[in-house]
Amino acid sequence: MATQVDTSASTGAGRVASPSFWSGVWQNHAPGYLFLLPWLIGFLGLTIGPILTSFYLSFTHFDLLTAPRWAGIDNYMRMFTNDPKFAASMRVTFVFVVFSVPLKLAFALGVALLLNRGMKGLPLYRALFYLPSLLGASVAIAILWRQMFAGNGLVNQLLANFGIQGPSWISNPNTSLWTLIILAVWQFGSPMIIFLAGLRQIPQDMYEAASLDGASKWRQFWKITLPMLTPVVFFNAIIQTIEAFKSFTPAFIISGGTGGPINSTLFYTLYLYNEAFGFFRMGYASALAWVLLAIVALFTAFSFLTSKYWVHYDD
Amino acid sequence: MTTDAERLTVVTGSSVTRRKVISIVSHVLLIGASIVMLYPLLWLMASSFRPENEIFTSGVSVLPSANWSFDSYVRGWNGLRVGFGQLFINSFVISALSVIGNVVACSLAAYAFARLEFAGRRFWFAMMLMTLMLPYQVTLIPQYVLFLNLGWVNTILPLVVPKFLAADAFFIFLMVQFFRGIPKELDEAARMDGAGPWRIYWKIILPLSMPVLATAAIFTFIWTWDDFFGPLIYLNDLRQYTVMLGLRTFTDNTGMSDYGGMFAMSVLSLVPIFVFFLLFQRLLIEGIATTGMKR
């Protein structure tokens, strides 16, 4: 037994030591890792390391100046039992996601369907509708929005032409969030382009066959277009939902960084930013980040699990 | 059956006029929607050329004012303690470096994933895909602590160095998709001639990938130009500010705001993006259509 182990060990060592083995390993695997090196350094140093660190920090009190103090589950306890602002930011974010994403996708699909009828001037329309998506993330657009929905802003001047005296939309807690939802819906251009690409993938002969069978356009939409488009709907819904959860700049600019009035635009990301960089509660902010990660992960997992019941795949 | 067949004949009988009506209605709808969507942008543009006292009295007009002037641009340009010229330079430097970093680092990684065989490739690829879904807030605070300890806060390094480490995994994914479409026979032919992975990457893959490299470059530029969160956290000194931070400073002076100057600088800040849009519209739209980008 002992000799056997010895020989196998020695042959193993012999093989490992042989230069041809190592040069083989080197030739087969080194180029891949060399090309991957920048990403790998970034992945380990800027992603995995920080993820684990922030998980640890979420169980501490940490103000950046002194070393983190272990806090157990204090941060999470406070969040779920004793933090009205956390509850408010959750509510605001969910309302934003629940209204902005379906509205945005509905507009995107509606316009894509119109454009897909072989309209003349399609490239021009497509470009015009896409422009807000491209510009929309800018601070400049958030500033424009803030002005549009102010008391003496553009929207109220328009309404004044019809004799309507509008409120200051951004300083009224009942309407402020809706100005942000409208801003998000205004940027329906990029999902629209993806819908257009998806519509073009649907084989035309399916419609021809349906027409011969006497199916109305309405029926064709429900029986052919929508089912064939579900993979694209699914894709757009996931991407847009995650984006909506991460939205920050418009709420920051329109509320002047406060999330006001009365927390009505206190997006989750904005609350997290204020806790971290306004009050230097880095431990608490890390816990907030992990809850956000959990929500996004749960949402994504749920979407993929339920997708097999409503997303139509060819195979 | 008969009713369906009847309906079919009715539809086909009047289909020419019917189609015309539908087409006109569609165009009216689309033109109306375009006007509503572009109206705020046109209004912003028109307001930036109005004298300050006309901005809120000229109402909803998007027509140029009779006494239009560049006054707002002059006031806005000098509206902060540091001229906006400096801010534009800062934004350009950060965006240009980010473009270089993203194109170089992401194409290297994408080549490894798309073309090279090595142990753990599938694992690392899955890891890369995972980071696409990751909310940046999860890494935000430890990254900040790291950059703080490196003494990088209040420099552009935290905004630029991650790009050279291919932190925008999205572009890796985009390039992998494209590289996979390049025929492998080209690689093999080159390998027969004794070319190594580096030569193949440099002489075959990159030259054939100009569309995807350009798409990545343009989107990197636009997204970096627009980025507000990164500069907000890492840049404190007005001389280091980007254009987006400068614009935000206008909104901070709540007491007596210079609306004209703010609008003028807002318009200027959108110009580079708009130029990219005009020049590379097709590339951008195709990029989105084939890969499904977020915005």
Side-chain angles (χ1 to χ4, degrees), chain A residues 229-278:
Chain A
L229 212 55
T230 44
V232 185
V233 173
F234 178 64
F235 176 85
N236 270 338
I238 292 218
I239 297 289
Q240 294 300 332
T241 305
I242 293 178
E243 282 305 297
F245 270 117
K246 296 196 308 201
S247 168
F248 174 81
T249 307
F252 184 94
I253 296 294
I254 286 173
S255 70
T258 62
I262 329 180
N263 299 334
S264 61
T265 59
L266 187 65
F267 279 32
Y268 196 85
T269 52
L270 187 50
Y271 182 47
L272 192 153
Y273 167 81
N274 282 335
E275 284 294 300
F277 297 96

Side-chain angles (χ1 to χ4, degrees), chain A residues 28-33 35-51 53-54 57 62 64 104 111 114-115 117 119-121 123 125-141 143-148 152-154 157-158 161 186-188 190-191 193-194 197 211-214 216-217 235 238-240 242-243 245-246 248-249 252-253 256 269 272-273 276-277 280-282 285-286 289-290 292-293 296 300 304, chain B residues 4 7-8 18-19 22-23 26-27 29-31 33-34 36-41 43-44 55-60 105 108-109 111-113 116-121 124-125 127-128 130-148 161-162 164-167 169 172 197-198 201 219 222 226 228-229 232-233 244 247-248 250-252 254 259 262-263 266-267 269-270 273-274 277 281-282 284-285 288-295:
Chain A
N28 286 334
H29 303 284
Y33 277 95
F35 275 92
L36 209 56
L37 195 60
W39 176 79
L40 211 51
I41 294 171
F43 178 71
L44 297 175
L46 297 176
T47 304
I48 287 297
I51 288 178
T53 312
S54 101
L57 287 178
F62 180 37
L64 217 54
K104 191 178 191 176
V111 176
L114 265 183
L115 286 178
R117 304 172 53 86
M119 299 283 296
K120 272 191 195 132
Y125 284 127
R126 194 176 51 182
L128 288 180
F129 288 127
Y130 174 55
L131 186 60
S133 284
L134 198 62
L135 301 178
S138 165
V139 172
I141 298 299
I143 286 176
L144 169 62
W145 233 250
R146 190 172 136 121
Q147 196 289 324
M148 273 172 66
N152 59 351
L154 187 56
Q157 293 185 35
L158 277 171
N161 290 342
W186 184 63
Q187 301 169 47
F188 68 77
S190 70
I193 287 173
I194 300 169
S211 293
L212 287 179
D213 289 345
S216 64
K217 288 272 181 223
F235 176 85
I238 292 218
I239 297 289
Q240 294 300 332
I242 293 178
E243 282 305 297
F245 270 117
K246 296 196 308 201
F248 174 81
T249 307
F252 184 94
I253 296 294
T269 52
L272 192 153
Y273 167 81
F277 297 96
F280 294 100
R281 292 197 271 259
M282 296 287 175
S286 298
W290 267 85
L292 178 65
L293 175 64
V296 170
T300 313
F304 274 97
Chain B
D4 276 357
R7 199 184 302 149
L8 186 63
R18 202 188 130 109
R19 202 170 291 164
I22 289 178
S23 162
S26 306
H27 275 294
L29 275 176
L30 289 170
I31 292 170
S34 312
V36 170
M37 285 189 68
L38 298 184
Y39 181 72
L41 297 173
W43 183 86
L44 176 69
I55 290 179
F56 291 103
T57 54
S58 58
V60 298
L108 287 172
Y111 176 69
F113 283 132
L116 300 177
E117 292 290 338
F118 55 93
R121 187 181 68 166
W124 293 120
F125 191 68
M127 289 289 116
M128 191 273 289
M130 203 192 67
T131 61
L132 286 175
M133 295 274 183
L134 200 69
Y136 64 86
Q137 285 85 357
V138 186
T139 53
L140 171 70
I141 289 161
Q143 277 187 13
Y144 184 83
V145 174
L146 173 70
F147 293 137
L148 191 67
V161 170
F164 282 86
L165 299 175
I172 305 180
W198 177 258
Y201 163 78
F219 273 110
I222 292 174
D226 269 349
F228 175 65
F229 194 76
L232 176 68
I233 287 175
M244 295 301 146
L247 288 179
R248 180 257 172 142
F250 275 114
T251 68
D252 269 358
T254 36
Y259 281 99
M262 185 167 79
F263 290 164
S266 295
V267 171
S269 80
L270 296 174
I273 304 175
F274 194 68
F277 171 74
Q281 198 208 102
R282 271 199 49 196
L284 294 174
I285 285 174
I288 293 170
T290 49
T291 60
M293 284 194 221
K294 29 199 176 182
R295 50 177 160 95

Side-chain angles (χ1 to χ4, degrees), chain B residues 209-220:
Chain B
S209 303
M210 283 306 153
V212 75
L213 299 182
T215 306
I218 295 165
F219 273 110
T220 302

